[in-house]
Each structure stands twice: as structure tokens, then as C-alpha cells.
Short mmCIF file of all heavy atoms in Angstrom, two decimals:
data_model
loop_
_atom_site.label_atom_id
_atom_site.label_comp_id
_atom_site.label_asym_id
_atom_site.label_seq_id
_atom_site.Cartn_x
_atom_site.Cartn_y
_atom_site.Cartn_z
N THR U 16 81.73 -106.54 49.65
CA THR U 16 81.90 -105.11 49.37
C THR U 16 82.78 -104.97 48.13
O THR U 16 83.50 -105.91 47.76
CB THR U 16 82.59 -104.40 50.55
OG1 THR U 16 83.91 -104.95 50.71
CG2 THR U 16 81.80 -104.59 51.85
N PRO U 17 82.78 -103.79 47.49
CA PRO U 17 83.70 -103.58 46.36
C PRO U 17 85.16 -103.82 46.74
O PRO U 17 85.93 -104.38 45.96
CB PRO U 17 83.43 -102.13 45.98
CG PRO U 17 82.01 -101.88 46.39
CD PRO U 17 81.85 -102.65 47.66
N ASP U 18 85.55 -103.41 47.95
CA ASP U 18 86.93 -103.63 48.38
C ASP U 18 87.25 -105.11 48.49
O ASP U 18 88.33 -105.56 48.06
CB ASP U 18 87.17 -102.95 49.73
CG ASP U 18 88.57 -103.21 50.27
OD1 ASP U 18 89.53 -102.69 49.68
OD2 ASP U 18 88.70 -103.95 51.26
N LEU U 19 86.34 -105.89 49.05
CA LEU U 19 86.58 -107.34 49.16
C LEU U 19 86.64 -107.97 47.78
O LEU U 19 87.48 -108.85 47.53
CB LEU U 19 85.48 -107.99 50.01
CG LEU U 19 85.61 -109.49 50.23
CD1 LEU U 19 86.97 -109.88 50.79
CD2 LEU U 19 84.49 -110.00 51.15
N PHE U 20 85.77 -107.55 46.87
CA PHE U 20 85.83 -108.07 45.50
C PHE U 20 87.20 -107.78 44.88
O PHE U 20 87.79 -108.64 44.21
CB PHE U 20 84.72 -107.45 44.65
CG PHE U 20 83.42 -108.22 44.67
CD1 PHE U 20 82.32 -107.72 44.00
CD2 PHE U 20 83.30 -109.42 45.33
CE1 PHE U 20 81.12 -108.42 43.99
CE2 PHE U 20 82.12 -110.13 45.35
CZ PHE U 20 81.02 -109.63 44.67
N ALA U 21 87.72 -106.58 45.08
CA ALA U 21 89.02 -106.21 44.50
C ALA U 21 90.13 -107.09 45.07
O ALA U 21 91.05 -107.53 44.33
CB ALA U 21 89.31 -104.74 44.77
N ARG U 22 90.07 -107.38 46.35
CA ARG U 22 91.10 -108.22 46.97
C ARG U 22 90.98 -109.67 46.52
O ARG U 22 91.99 -110.37 46.37
CB ARG U 22 91.01 -108.08 48.49
CG ARG U 22 91.40 -106.67 48.97
CD ARG U 22 91.16 -106.46 50.45
NE ARG U 22 91.82 -107.48 51.23
CZ ARG U 22 91.20 -108.26 52.11
NH1 ARG U 22 89.90 -108.13 52.31
NH2 ARG U 22 91.87 -109.17 52.77
N LEU U 23 89.77 -110.14 46.30
CA LEU U 23 89.58 -111.49 45.77
C LEU U 23 90.12 -111.58 44.34
O LEU U 23 90.77 -112.57 43.96
CB LEU U 23 88.10 -111.87 45.81
CG LEU U 23 87.52 -112.15 47.20
CD1 LEU U 23 86.00 -112.11 47.16
CD2 LEU U 23 88.01 -113.50 47.74
N ASP U 24 89.87 -110.54 43.55
CA ASP U 24 90.40 -110.50 42.19
C ASP U 24 91.92 -110.57 42.20
O ASP U 24 92.55 -111.31 41.42
CB ASP U 24 89.96 -109.23 41.46
CG ASP U 24 88.47 -109.21 41.14
OD1 ASP U 24 87.84 -110.28 41.19
OD2 ASP U 24 87.94 -108.11 40.85
N ALA U 25 92.53 -109.78 43.08
CA ALA U 25 93.99 -109.74 43.16
C ALA U 25 94.58 -111.09 43.58
O ALA U 25 95.71 -111.43 43.22
CB ALA U 25 94.43 -108.65 44.14
N ALA U 26 93.78 -111.86 44.33
CA ALA U 26 94.24 -113.18 44.79
C ALA U 26 93.99 -114.27 43.75
O ALA U 26 94.32 -115.44 44.01
CB ALA U 26 93.55 -113.54 46.11
N GLY U 27 93.41 -113.91 42.60
CA GLY U 27 93.17 -114.90 41.55
C GLY U 27 91.97 -115.78 41.79
O GLY U 27 91.90 -116.90 41.26
N ILE U 28 91.03 -115.29 42.56
CA ILE U 28 89.81 -116.05 42.87
C ILE U 28 88.68 -115.55 41.98
O ILE U 28 88.36 -114.36 41.99
CB ILE U 28 89.46 -115.91 44.37
CG1 ILE U 28 90.61 -116.49 45.21
CG2 ILE U 28 88.15 -116.61 44.69
CD1 ILE U 28 90.65 -115.96 46.61
N ALA U 29 88.09 -116.44 41.20
CA ALA U 29 87.11 -116.07 40.19
C ALA U 29 85.73 -115.88 40.81
O ALA U 29 85.41 -116.45 41.86
CB ALA U 29 87.04 -117.13 39.09
N ARG U 30 84.91 -115.07 40.12
CA ARG U 30 83.51 -114.87 40.51
C ARG U 30 82.61 -115.32 39.37
O ARG U 30 82.82 -114.96 38.21
CB ARG U 30 83.22 -113.39 40.80
CG ARG U 30 83.95 -112.84 41.98
CD ARG U 30 83.31 -111.55 42.48
NE ARG U 30 83.23 -110.49 41.48
CZ ARG U 30 84.19 -109.63 41.24
NH1 ARG U 30 85.34 -109.73 41.87
NH2 ARG U 30 84.04 -108.68 40.34
N HIS U 31 81.58 -116.09 39.72
CA HIS U 31 80.58 -116.52 38.75
C HIS U 31 79.20 -116.30 39.38
O HIS U 31 79.05 -116.34 40.60
CB HIS U 31 80.77 -117.99 38.37
CG HIS U 31 82.09 -118.26 37.72
ND1 HIS U 31 82.36 -117.94 36.41
CD2 HIS U 31 83.24 -118.79 38.22
CE1 HIS U 31 83.60 -118.28 36.11
NE2 HIS U 31 84.16 -118.79 37.19
N PHE U 32 78.20 -116.10 38.51
CA PHE U 32 76.87 -115.75 39.00
C PHE U 32 75.82 -116.69 38.43
O PHE U 32 75.84 -117.03 37.24
CB PHE U 32 76.54 -114.29 38.62
CG PHE U 32 77.45 -113.30 39.27
CD1 PHE U 32 78.62 -112.88 38.64
CD2 PHE U 32 77.16 -112.79 40.52
CE1 PHE U 32 79.48 -111.98 39.25
CE2 PHE U 32 78.01 -111.88 41.13
CZ PHE U 32 79.17 -111.47 40.50
N VAL U 33 74.93 -117.10 39.31
CA VAL U 33 73.72 -117.84 38.93
C VAL U 33 72.54 -117.05 39.47
O VAL U 33 72.72 -116.08 40.21
CB VAL U 33 73.75 -119.28 39.50
CG1 VAL U 33 74.91 -120.08 38.92
CG2 VAL U 33 73.84 -119.25 41.04
N THR U 34 71.33 -117.45 39.13
CA THR U 34 70.14 -116.73 39.60
C THR U 34 69.13 -117.72 40.16
O THR U 34 68.71 -118.64 39.46
CB THR U 34 69.47 -115.95 38.45
OG1 THR U 34 70.42 -115.06 37.86
CG2 THR U 34 68.28 -115.14 38.97
N LEU U 35 68.78 -117.55 41.42
CA LEU U 35 67.66 -118.29 42.01
C LEU U 35 66.79 -117.29 42.74
O LEU U 35 67.24 -116.63 43.68
CB LEU U 35 68.13 -119.37 42.98
CG LEU U 35 66.99 -120.22 43.56
CD1 LEU U 35 66.47 -121.20 42.51
CD2 LEU U 35 67.42 -120.98 44.81
N HIS U 36 65.55 -117.14 42.28
CA HIS U 36 64.64 -116.18 42.89
C HIS U 36 64.06 -116.78 44.18
O HIS U 36 63.20 -117.64 44.15
CB HIS U 36 63.52 -115.81 41.92
CG HIS U 36 64.01 -115.04 40.72
ND1 HIS U 36 64.87 -113.98 40.83
CD2 HIS U 36 63.75 -115.18 39.40
CE1 HIS U 36 65.12 -113.48 39.62
NE2 HIS U 36 64.47 -114.20 38.75
N VAL U 37 64.58 -116.29 45.29
CA VAL U 37 64.21 -116.85 46.60
C VAL U 37 62.76 -116.49 46.90
O VAL U 37 62.36 -115.32 46.83
CB VAL U 37 65.13 -116.29 47.70
CG1 VAL U 37 64.91 -117.06 48.99
CG2 VAL U 37 66.59 -116.36 47.26
N GLY U 38 61.96 -117.49 47.25
CA GLY U 38 60.54 -117.28 47.50
C GLY U 38 60.22 -117.15 48.98
O GLY U 38 61.05 -117.43 49.85
N ALA U 39 59.00 -116.73 49.26
CA ALA U 39 58.57 -116.57 50.66
C ALA U 39 58.48 -117.90 51.38
O ALA U 39 58.42 -117.93 52.61
CB ALA U 39 57.21 -115.86 50.70
N GLY U 40 58.47 -118.98 50.65
CA GLY U 40 58.46 -120.30 51.27
C GLY U 40 59.67 -120.54 52.14
O GLY U 40 59.66 -121.40 53.02
N THR U 41 60.75 -119.75 51.92
CA THR U 41 61.94 -119.89 52.75
C THR U 41 61.66 -119.56 54.21
O THR U 41 62.38 -119.98 55.10
CB THR U 41 63.08 -119.00 52.20
OG1 THR U 41 64.30 -119.36 52.83
CG2 THR U 41 62.82 -117.53 52.47
N PHE U 42 60.60 -118.76 54.48
CA PHE U 42 60.25 -118.40 55.85
C PHE U 42 59.30 -119.40 56.51
O PHE U 42 59.01 -119.29 57.70
CB PHE U 42 59.59 -117.02 55.88
CG PHE U 42 60.46 -115.91 55.39
CD1 PHE U 42 59.96 -114.93 54.56
CD2 PHE U 42 61.79 -115.83 55.75
CE1 PHE U 42 60.75 -113.88 54.10
CE2 PHE U 42 62.61 -114.81 55.30
CZ PHE U 42 62.08 -113.83 54.46
N LEU U 43 58.77 -120.34 55.72
CA LEU U 43 57.76 -121.24 56.28
C LEU U 43 58.41 -122.31 57.14
O LEU U 43 59.44 -122.88 56.77
CB LEU U 43 56.97 -121.90 55.15
CG LEU U 43 56.14 -120.96 54.27
CD1 LEU U 43 55.41 -121.77 53.20
CD2 LEU U 43 55.16 -120.16 55.10
N PRO U 44 57.83 -122.61 58.29
CA PRO U 44 58.40 -123.65 59.15
C PRO U 44 58.15 -125.03 58.57
O PRO U 44 57.26 -125.24 57.74
CB PRO U 44 57.61 -123.46 60.46
CG PRO U 44 56.30 -122.89 60.03
CD PRO U 44 56.61 -122.01 58.85
N VAL U 45 58.98 -125.97 59.00
CA VAL U 45 58.77 -127.37 58.63
C VAL U 45 57.67 -127.91 59.54
O VAL U 45 57.79 -127.88 60.76
CB VAL U 45 60.06 -128.19 58.81
CG1 VAL U 45 59.81 -129.65 58.44
CG2 VAL U 45 61.17 -127.60 57.94
N LYS U 46 56.60 -128.40 58.94
CA LYS U 46 55.47 -128.89 59.72
C LYS U 46 55.66 -130.37 60.04
O LYS U 46 56.13 -131.14 59.22
CB LYS U 46 54.17 -128.67 58.95
CG LYS U 46 53.85 -127.19 58.70
CD LYS U 46 52.56 -127.02 57.93
CE LYS U 46 52.23 -125.55 57.70
NZ LYS U 46 50.99 -125.36 56.92
N GLY U 47 55.25 -130.74 61.24
CA GLY U 47 55.36 -132.14 61.63
C GLY U 47 56.78 -132.50 62.02
O GLY U 47 57.68 -131.67 62.08
N GLU U 48 57.00 -133.77 62.28
CA GLU U 48 58.30 -134.27 62.73
C GLU U 48 59.02 -135.09 61.67
O GLU U 48 60.23 -135.24 61.71
CB GLU U 48 58.11 -135.12 63.98
CG GLU U 48 58.16 -134.34 65.28
CD GLU U 48 59.57 -133.78 65.54
OE1 GLU U 48 60.55 -134.55 65.52
OE2 GLU U 48 59.68 -132.56 65.73
N ASP U 49 58.30 -135.60 60.70
CA ASP U 49 58.88 -136.51 59.71
C ASP U 49 59.40 -135.70 58.52
O ASP U 49 58.64 -135.07 57.78
CB ASP U 49 57.80 -137.50 59.24
CG ASP U 49 58.36 -138.60 58.35
OD1 ASP U 49 59.52 -138.46 57.89
OD2 ASP U 49 57.65 -139.57 58.10
N LEU U 50 60.72 -135.71 58.31
CA LEU U 50 61.32 -134.94 57.22
C LEU U 50 60.79 -135.38 55.87
O LEU U 50 60.67 -134.57 54.94
CB LEU U 50 62.84 -135.09 57.23
CG LEU U 50 63.60 -134.61 58.46
CD1 LEU U 50 65.09 -134.64 58.18
CD2 LEU U 50 63.17 -133.21 58.86
N SER U 51 60.47 -136.66 55.72
CA SER U 51 60.05 -137.17 54.42
C SER U 51 58.70 -136.59 53.99
O SER U 51 58.35 -136.66 52.81
CB SER U 51 59.96 -138.70 54.44
OG SER U 51 58.93 -139.13 55.33
N GLN U 52 57.96 -136.01 54.92
CA GLN U 52 56.66 -135.46 54.59
C GLN U 52 56.72 -133.99 54.16
O GLN U 52 55.72 -133.44 53.69
CB GLN U 52 55.71 -135.58 55.80
CG GLN U 52 55.50 -137.01 56.27
CD GLN U 52 54.91 -137.89 55.17
OE1 GLN U 52 53.93 -137.53 54.54
NE2 GLN U 52 55.53 -139.05 54.96
N HIS U 53 57.88 -133.35 54.33
CA HIS U 53 57.99 -131.93 54.00
C HIS U 53 58.16 -131.73 52.50
O HIS U 53 58.90 -132.46 51.84
CB HIS U 53 59.16 -131.29 54.74
CG HIS U 53 59.28 -129.81 54.48
ND1 HIS U 53 58.37 -128.90 54.97
CD2 HIS U 53 60.19 -129.09 53.78
CE1 HIS U 53 58.72 -127.68 54.60
NE2 HIS U 53 59.82 -127.77 53.86
N ARG U 54 57.49 -130.72 51.95
CA ARG U 54 57.61 -130.38 50.54
C ARG U 54 58.07 -128.93 50.42
O ARG U 54 57.42 -128.02 50.94
CB ARG U 54 56.27 -130.57 49.82
CG ARG U 54 55.80 -132.02 49.76
CD ARG U 54 56.73 -132.87 48.89
NE ARG U 54 56.33 -134.28 48.89
CZ ARG U 54 56.83 -135.19 49.71
NH1 ARG U 54 57.76 -134.84 50.61
NH2 ARG U 54 56.44 -136.44 49.66
N MET U 55 59.17 -128.73 49.73
CA MET U 55 59.70 -127.39 49.52
C MET U 55 58.87 -126.66 48.48
O MET U 55 58.37 -127.26 47.52
CB MET U 55 61.15 -127.47 49.02
CG MET U 55 62.11 -128.10 50.00
SD MET U 55 62.60 -127.02 51.34
CE MET U 55 63.74 -125.91 50.49
N HIS U 56 58.72 -125.33 48.63
CA HIS U 56 58.11 -124.52 47.59
C HIS U 56 59.10 -124.38 46.43
O HIS U 56 60.30 -124.21 46.64
CB HIS U 56 57.74 -123.14 48.12
CG HIS U 56 56.41 -123.10 48.81
ND1 HIS U 56 56.23 -123.61 50.07
CD2 HIS U 56 55.20 -122.66 48.40
CE1 HIS U 56 54.96 -123.46 50.43
NE2 HIS U 56 54.32 -122.89 49.44
N ALA U 57 58.59 -124.47 45.22
CA ALA U 57 59.44 -124.36 44.04
C ALA U 57 59.92 -122.93 43.84
O ALA U 57 59.18 -121.97 44.09
CB ALA U 57 58.68 -124.84 42.81
N GLU U 58 61.15 -122.79 43.40
CA GLU U 58 61.75 -121.49 43.09
C GLU U 58 62.42 -121.58 41.71
O GLU U 58 62.99 -122.62 41.37
CB GLU U 58 62.79 -121.10 44.15
CG GLU U 58 62.18 -120.94 45.54
CD GLU U 58 63.22 -120.93 46.65
OE1 GLU U 58 64.17 -121.74 46.57
OE2 GLU U 58 63.08 -120.13 47.59
N PHE U 59 62.35 -120.49 40.95
CA PHE U 59 62.88 -120.52 39.59
C PHE U 59 64.36 -120.12 39.60
O PHE U 59 64.75 -119.13 40.23
CB PHE U 59 62.11 -119.55 38.68
CG PHE U 59 62.54 -119.64 37.24
CD1 PHE U 59 62.10 -120.68 36.44
CD2 PHE U 59 63.40 -118.69 36.71
CE1 PHE U 59 62.51 -120.77 35.11
CE2 PHE U 59 63.81 -118.78 35.39
CZ PHE U 59 63.37 -119.82 34.58
N GLY U 60 65.16 -120.90 38.87
CA GLY U 60 66.59 -120.63 38.83
C GLY U 60 67.17 -120.78 37.45
O GLY U 60 66.61 -121.47 36.59
#
């Protein structure tokens, strides 16, 4: 919230921003049992 941001600023805690466009692949279940077989959907950052 704006209030929390103000309190973080007062405490000397910095804010930095990056961008990662979260894709619908985040909702997809992991198929199968073997983790090595799972492939993540690419997202631009």
C-alpha cells in the first residue's frame, strides 16, 4: 500500500523494479511424476 511504501522509505529500505510478464502457463499443472520431463512456458522479462 502507499502507507507501507512510505514506512519502508522511512526505514531506509530501497525499492527497485523489474518486469516479467506472467503468462497463463503459470496455471498449468505439472504433468506426470518426473520433474525432469516438465517444460516451463517462456515468459518475457
Side-chain angles (χ1 to χ4, degrees):
T16 63
D18 177 69
L19 181 54
F20 270 177
R22 293 173 54 236
L23 288 164
D24 290 344
I28 298 158
R30 295 198 302 274
H31 299 283
F32 296 91
V33 297
T34 304
L35 183 74
H36 292 314
V37 190
T41 192
F42 298 138
L43 296 180
V45 179
K46 296 180 179 178
E48 271 292 307
D49 188 348
L50 299 189
S51 66
Q52 301 301 311
H53 182 70
R54 294 293 177 267
M55 297 283 285
H56 276 75
E58 298 165 319
F59 185 78

